[in-house]
Amino acid sequence: MSEIGYKDLKDYRPIHVLTALLMAEARGEPYDGRVSVAFVVRNRVRDRRWPNTYAEVITQPYQFSCLLDRDPNQKVFLDNLLPSKNFNLESMIYRECLGIAFLVIGNWRKDITQGANHYHADWMVPFPKWSDPNKITYSVGGHIFYKL
């Protein structure tokens, strides 16, 4: 399987792409952790430094580990792009991720990350070079969020 690019996802609705990302990147996080990951994507979509679509932001190279070939969560991402493919609507976590995507894309929820546009797992040692402890905006579950 090759790395996923925007051209592969351009025909998918933003809600499905974001839901699939939440399932692959944050399904093991608490509810607010999944909400926070969704806001990082939304904040990038609204920032001129990144592309202005969910699919383009999500598929930028090396931004989300679940889209890398070596990551087993890539299959989770692909399997969750269309709920009917695997009857994912029966999954409580999938329904929560779908609801989060709806709330965040529709601007129906307050940004609990205070504008974060980056995050990483809190167990990473060393922390990524881009991380700046002065720019931390939020921490939840296993992730630390930054506004850079």
Side-chain angles (χ1 to χ4, degrees):
M1 191 180 314
S2 63
E3 301 228 353
I4 302 166
Y6 169 66
K7 66 181 185 278
D8 302 316
L9 299 179
K10 67 180 178 181
D11 294 328
Y12 287 89
R13 293 176 185 229
I15 195 166
H16 292 137
V17 177
L18 184 56
T19 300
L21 179 78
L22 295 176
M23 286 294 293
E25 282 280 307
R27 69 186 176 281
E29 291 295 307
Y31 183 84
D32 282 349
R34 292 191 296 276
V35 168
S36 299
V37 170
F39 271 112
V40 165
V41 177
R42 199 275 322 254
N43 292 337
R44 288 183 178 192
V45 167
R46 293 181 173 190
D47 189 316
R48 283 184 273 149
R49 294 176 290 170
W50 285 277
N52 64 357
T53 71
Y54 283 82
E56 287 176 302
V57 165
I58 288 169
T59 58
Q60 282 193 300
Y62 308 106
Q63 298 302 301
F64 298 97
S65 61
C66 70
L67 273 72
L68 300 174
D69 284 341
R70 67 182 181 269
D71 194 311
N73 285 313
Q74 186 186 71
K75 182 177 177 357
V76 175
F77 177 82
L78 293 171
D79 285 350
N80 283 282
L81 277 172
L82 287 177
S84 60
K85 179 179 176 187
N86 294 306
F87 306 103
N88 289 334
L89 290 174
E90 295 174 13
S91 161
M92 186 171 130
I93 296 294
Y94 181 86
R95 288 193 316 262
E96 282 185 359
C97 290
L98 180 64
I100 290 166
F102 174 79
L103 293 172
V104 170
I105 290 171
N107 202 32
W108 291 98
R109 169 118 190 183
K110 182 181 176 190
D111 182 357
I112 60 177
T113 72
Q114 301 173 50
N117 50 32
H118 286 74
Y119 70 93
H120 65 78
D122 62 4
W123 51 261
M124 293 180 75
V125 177
F127 281 1
K129 290 180 183 177
W130 54 258
S131 65
D132 179 347
N134 297 317
K135 307 264 177 131
I136 294 174
T137 62
Y138 193 63
S139 181
V140 62
H143 290 122
I144 301 170
F145 294 84
Y146 300 80
K147 184 175 182 180
L148 303 177

